[in-house]
Amino acid sequence: MDKYDVILEVVKTSNISQAAKNLNYSQSAISQTIKSFENEMGFPIFKRTNSGVMLLPNASSVIKSLEIIHQENLRLQQLSDAMTQSEIGTVRIGSFISFAMTYLPKILKEFTTKYPKIKFEIFTGNQQEIYEKLSRNEIDVAFTSMYGMDEFSYEVFLQDEFVVVLPCDHPFVTEPTISINRIVDETYILSGERFDFEIGSFIHSLGLEPQYTFEIFDELVALKLIEAGFGISIFSKFFLDSIPNHVNVAIRPISEHYYRSLVIAKNSDVYSSAASDIFNRFATTWLENIGEKQ
């Protein structure tokens, strides 16, 4: 492990003990690396606190330089992999939880049978988190929504419809479809990504401002609140289909029909390893085949 990577890990965790655990080093080795680097620089970069360490303000430019060095070292390693060991390496994947629970295990099962020496790091998060990691070259391949991903290269693999989710005893249950305009007079349960992405885009484009009492950052908890009768919400069908044990709620199509496009994306502005290129092509073909069968 390069000493610069050690410093960056300490910056990331703000804790020497956690950095040591993450890197499989001893705490004393981490402390010695910090001391050696500070002596080399000629000034301290960290302030010790009761809860860990804090980066000193005058050291921010140093850390930016270390991040550049780290990325260039990674680029050199990827070039080496591409030229010598195309079927060996690590692929970093970012994914919606719903995709990670449904399609991703099937893709990985087939892929690892063919390429057993390629390893994976898998991150699950929301749209904003995946976007940021792809921008910072912290993941190689993303399974996410097309919304806000214009700066990246992507292939659409699924049109995912939005639906209304409501309590089973709600008056709307008797109706086969529900117009989006009718949710304005209902108590709305705001979950996950709030109104910042696709749902907010089409709701606000209609000039609607739903009134919400609850803001929940866990979609499953939001569904349980709907089940208990606290309000209604809008979810994607793909997410609802990914829940193993469905909660007891009613699901109705939106009369006007709104969709989001799910994509496999990569950052073409950074060098990609041979392993990630192999996986990207494999996953794209796999998803295309699934789409043709549906």
Side-chain angles (χ1 to χ4, degrees), residues 5-16 18-19 22-23 46 53 55 63 67 121 123 133 136 138:
D5 292 334
V6 172
I7 298 300
L8 290 175
E9 187 65 26
V10 175
V11 173
K12 179 181 176 181
T13 60
S14 298
N15 188 286
I16 291 176
Q18 187 60 50
N22 293 349
L23 299 175
F46 291 111
V53 294
L55 185 68
I63 299 306
E67 289 172 344
E121 294 176 4
F123 165 81
K133 284 189 171 292
R136 297 195 297 262
E138 293 178 2

Side-chain angles (χ1 to χ4, degrees), residues 74-92 111 114-115 117-120 137 140-141 266-267 270-283:
L74 180 61
R75 189 189 300 270
L76 286 172
Q77 183 59 54
Q78 289 171 337
L79 281 169
S80 174
D81 290 344
M83 294 177 181
T84 61
Q85 304 179 70
S86 62
E87 295 183 9
I88 296 176
T90 299
V91 180
R92 303 166 301 170
F111 183 85
K114 190 173 182 180
Y115 302 100
K117 294 183 179 180
I118 293 179
K119 299 179 181 180
F120 294 91
N137 192 30
D140 303 305
V141 181
K266 66 176 184 177
N267 188 343
V270 299
Y271 183 85
S272 59
S273 68
S276 66
D277 286 341
I278 290 171
F279 177 76
N280 199 344
R281 289 193 297 270
F282 182 94

Side-chain angles (χ1 to χ4, degrees), residues 257-291:
H257 298 290
Y258 296 96
Y259 299 83
R260 66 175 178 174
S261 297
L262 299 185
V263 302
I264 175 172
K266 66 176 184 177
N267 188 343
S268 297
D269 290 337
V270 299
Y271 183 85
S272 59
S273 68
S276 66
D277 286 341
I278 290 171
F279 177 76
N280 199 344
R281 289 193 297 270
F282 182 94
T284 300
T285 301
W286 193 95
L287 291 166
E288 287 174 351
N289 292 337
I290 289 295

Side-chain angles (χ1 to χ4, degrees), residues 49 135 188 266:
T49 68
S135 298
Y188 193 90
K266 66 176 184 177

Side-chain angles (χ1 to χ4, degrees), residues 211-277:
Q211 301 301 309
Y212 60 92
T213 303
F214 295 95
E215 181 176 350
I216 313 296
F217 292 94
D218 186 311
E219 284 86 352
L220 292 177
V221 175
L223 287 172
K224 294 302 289 185
L225 287 174
I226 295 171
E227 180 182 40
F230 286 103
I232 70 172
S233 193
I234 295 174
F235 285 86
S236 83
K237 192 173 184 302
F238 189 83
F239 168 74
L240 294 172
D241 289 344
S242 73
I243 302 173
N245 298 312
H246 211 293
V247 291
N248 188 26
V249 294
I251 299 171
R252 294 293 180 270
I254 299 173
S255 305
E256 295 83 1
H257 298 290
Y258 296 96
Y259 299 83
R260 66 175 178 174
S261 297
L262 299 185
V263 302
I264 175 172
K266 66 176 184 177
N267 188 343
S268 297
D269 290 337
V270 299
Y271 183 85
S272 59
S273 68
S276 66
D277 286 341

Side-chain angles (χ1 to χ4, degrees), residues 79-128:
L79 281 169
S80 174
D81 290 344
M83 294 177 181
T84 61
Q85 304 179 70
S86 62
E87 295 183 9
I88 296 176
T90 299
V91 180
R92 303 166 301 170
I93 297 173
S95 173
F96 282 164
I97 292 177
S98 54
F99 185 89
M101 292 175 63
T102 51
Y103 287 168
L104 187 56
K106 299 174 184 178
I107 294 173
L108 293 178
K109 183 176 182 180
E110 292 187 26
F111 183 85
T112 53
T113 299
K114 190 173 182 180
Y115 302 100
K117 294 183 179 180
I118 293 179
K119 299 179 181 180
F120 294 91
E121 294 176 4
I122 300 173
F123 165 81
T124 57
N126 61 33
Q127 179 78 1
Q128 183 64 33

